[in-house]
Amino acid sequence: CGACLGAGPSASGCCGSDEKSYTVGGWAWAWWLITDIQKITLEIMTLQPKCEDVETAEGVAITVTGVAQVKVMTDNELLGYACEQFLGKTVAEIKSVILQTLEGHLRSILGTLTVEQIYQDRDQFAKLVREVAAPDVGRMGIEILSFTIKDVYDKVDYLSSLGKSQTAAVQRDADIGVAEAERDAGIREAECKKEMMDVKFQADTRMADSKRELEMQKAAFNQEVNTKKAEAQLAYELQAAKEQQKIRLEEIEIEVVQRKKQITIEEKEILRTEKELIAIVKRPAEAEAYKMQQLAEAQKIKKVLTAQAEAEKIKRIGEAEAGSIEAVGKAEAEKMRVKAEAYQQYGEAAKTALVLEALPKIAAQVAAPLSRTNEIVILSGDGGRVTGEVNRLLAELPVSVNALTGVDLSKIPLLQKMISPQA
């Protein structure tokens, strides 16, 4: 790639024009033998600036080498600056100009820094060189793409001494670090063992918890599975029962239809049999029944007439007996009336007479049980005790009769003499 600078006649054809045009890459028209064409490279150029035995801020002479990547900028204005500076020069000449510029800035910057700053912070040193050199090379149309420090060394073994002291400090720090590390390692090992035991205990605990949760989940899953199985079995049995019920209902319907058909056949058979019986049995039976009915009617009429005659006979006998009883009753009633009138007329004496008539009958009824007694023995040590008991019984007799009949026998003179104790 390159940039072309052309100078020649304008489009109007006038000669001696100094008009310039820049073409970056691509192509352009040019007048043969009239247009002046010059080229400049746009490729990246690698430079290795080197400053030998440059004293630092502390007066230590060191040698520094670096690597820089530069190129011509393609902006029209900056490209013009580059063309003015480097047209007609070779790439080596261009590199030499830029290299001298970078080495001058590098040398000036080294005089402001210490060896430690340069050696220990190379990136900051390279950044400082880029920032200081960029404006100068930029005015030449050159851009610094990168700048790095490649090597830093000296001829008086300053850096090696610095390295030895640094190495000794590092070794010392390393020994201290090793001791501290071993101490910390022992402490850390104990802590790690403790942590390991804690972790192991926690892991065992979590494992036990996980195992317990797993068993619980298994139990819950088994319970759920068994529940689902039971529900499925119940659903299956229920569905089977429903299907069996449907089948049974259909069988019952079939049986009902068959039964209806059988009933229809039986009804037809009954009708046929009935007609056959009517023809074979009923008609002769009706004739025989009519005959028997007539005979029964005749027998019934005969019995009715006989019963009516017997009833008439009984009626006549009853009327005769009733008349006889009526006459006897009238006679008894008349007798009682006459007795009543006599009793009314005689008063207390009549009542007494009736009681006296009834006493033998009462005595007979009272003594009836004694008639079956062969012998009565009264035990008494006193010979006159028997007489006293007899007298007492006679004395109590009027009281008993009075209680039964209302008649006081003690007022009858004859009986008073009979029951009196003096008698």
Side-chain angles (χ1 to χ4, degrees):
C1 297
C4 295
L5 171 64
S10 64
S12 61
C14 296
C15 298
S17 174
D18 57 356
E19 182 181 356
K20 300 175 183 179
S21 63
Y22 302 95
T23 302
V24 179
W27 58 276
W29 294 101
W31 294 95
W32 184 54
L33 299 178
I34 297 175
T35 303
D36 183 14
I37 299 173
Q38 293 183 2
K39 296 181 181 181
I40 188 172
T41 182
L42 298 179
E43 294 178 353
I44 295 175
M45 293 174 286
T46 302
L47 305 176
Q48 293 183 355
K50 181 178 181 180
C51 296
E52 295 181 356
D53 299 330
V54 179
E55 293 183 357
T56 62
E58 296 176 343
V60 180
I62 61 173
T63 300
V64 177
T65 59
V67 177
Q69 304 290 338
V70 297
K71 69 180 292 293
V72 176
M73 289 183 285
T74 58
D75 183 78
N76 284 336
E77 183 178 358
L78 299 175
L79 182 59
Y81 295 155
C83 290
E84 290 177 359
Q85 299 291 332
F86 300 114
L87 278 178
K89 291 182 174 63
T90 63
V91 175
E93 292 174 341
I94 296 172
K95 287 183 177 181
S96 177
V97 172
I98 299 172
L99 179 61
Q100 291 176 7
T101 303
L102 291 176
E103 287 179 350
H105 286 292
L106 179 59
R107 188 179 298 274
S108 64
I109 293 171
L110 285 173
T112 62
L113 300 175
T114 64
V115 178
E116 288 80 1
Q117 289 175 341
I118 297 170
Y119 186 77
Q120 294 176 359
D121 198 354
R122 296 186 181 188
D123 292 338
Q124 184 65 27
F125 173 55
K127 180 180 179 182
L128 183 60
V129 173
R130 284 196 305 270
E131 291 176 353
V132 173
D136 289 342
V137 296
R139 283 189 290 269
M140 292 185 292
I142 301 300
E143 178 184 6
I144 299 175
L145 299 178
S146 68
F147 182 86
T148 58
I149 300 301
K150 183 178 180 181
D151 192 12
V152 177
Y153 61 93
D154 68 308
K155 296 179 180 179
V156 295
D157 296 332
Y158 181 85
L159 292 175
S160 61
S161 299
L162 182 65
K164 288 179 180 179
S165 62
Q166 185 69 26
T167 302
V170 170
Q171 184 66 34
R172 180 198 62 200
D173 294 339
D175 294 337
I176 295 172
V178 169
E180 291 178 350
E182 290 178 354
R183 179 199 63 193
D184 295 340
I187 296 172
R188 185 58 182 166
E189 183 178 1
E191 292 177 353
C192 289
K193 287 183 178 179
K194 181 179 179 299
E195 291 178 358
M196 182 185 69
M197 295 301 295
D198 294 339
V199 170
K200 185 176 183 302
F201 176 74
Q202 293 176 0
D204 293 339
T205 304
R206 286 195 296 268
M207 186 179 298
D209 293 339
S210 299
K211 186 175 181 181
R212 179 176 56 82
E213 291 179 359
L214 178 63
E215 294 298 330
M216 292 177 64
Q217 289 180 357
K218 284 184 178 180
F221 291 157
N222 291 333
Q223 182 179 3
E224 185 176 358
V225 169
N226 293 332
T227 302
K228 294 297 182 182
K229 286 183 178 179
E231 292 177 354
Q233 184 65 26
L234 291 175
Y236 172 76
E237 293 178 357
L238 180 60
Q239 188 64 30
K242 289 182 179 179
E243 295 297 330
Q244 189 67 27
Q245 186 178 7
K246 290 181 180 179
I247 295 172
R248 182 56 185 165
L249 289 175
E250 292 178 357
E251 291 178 353
I252 291 173
E253 291 179 357
I254 294 172
E255 291 177 358
V256 169
V257 172
Q258 293 177 351
R259 184 61 181 168
K260 287 181 179 179
K261 291 182 179 180
Q262 185 177 359
I263 291 172
T264 303
I265 294 171
E266 291 177 356
E267 288 178 351
K268 291 181 179 180
E269 181 66 20
I270 290 170
L271 290 175
R272 186 191 67 78
T273 306
E274 183 179 357
K275 290 180 180 180
E276 184 178 356
L277 291 174
I278 288 172
I280 298 173
V281 178
K282 184 177 180 181
R283 298 304 182 187
E286 286 179 352
E288 185 66 23
Y290 181 74
K291 175 181 177 182
M292 296 299 294
Q293 182 180 3
Q294 294 300 321
L295 292 174
E297 287 292 334
Q299 188 69 25
K300 182 177 70 173
I301 292 172
K302 178 180 179 181
K303 289 182 178 179
V304 169
L305 293 176
T306 303
Q308 288 178 352
E310 187 68 25
E312 185 65 22
K313 176 181 177 181
I314 293 170
K315 179 181 179 182
R316 299 291 184 181
I317 294 171
E319 288 178 352
E321 290 179 352
S324 175
I325 292 170
E326 182 181 4
V328 173
K330 286 181 178 180
E332 290 290 333
E334 183 64 21
K335 179 180 178 182
M336 293 296 293
R337 185 183 65 79
V338 172
K339 284 184 177 182
E341 288 178 354
Y343 293 157
Q344 184 69 25
Q345 181 177 359
Y346 292 104
E348 191 67 28
K351 293 179 181 181
T352 303
L354 288 175
V355 171
L356 293 176
E357 291 179 0
L359 280 177
K361 295 180 180 180
I362 294 172
Q365 293 296 326
V366 172
L370 297 176
S371 63
R372 293 190 293 274
T373 303
N374 295 324
E375 183 180 2
I376 296 175
V377 179
I378 297 175
L379 299 176
S380 176
D382 188 3
R385 183 68 178 272
V386 177
T387 304
E389 289 294 330
V390 173
N391 292 332
R392 185 180 63 78
L393 291 174
L394 292 175
E396 292 177 355
L397 182 62
V399 178
S400 301
V401 173
N402 186 19
L404 293 172
T405 62
V407 177
D408 189 3
L409 297 179
S410 62
K411 294 181 179 181
I412 300 174
L414 180 61
L415 291 178
Q416 287 179 353
K417 294 179 179 180
M418 291 176 62
I419 62 178
S420 174
Q422 289 80 10

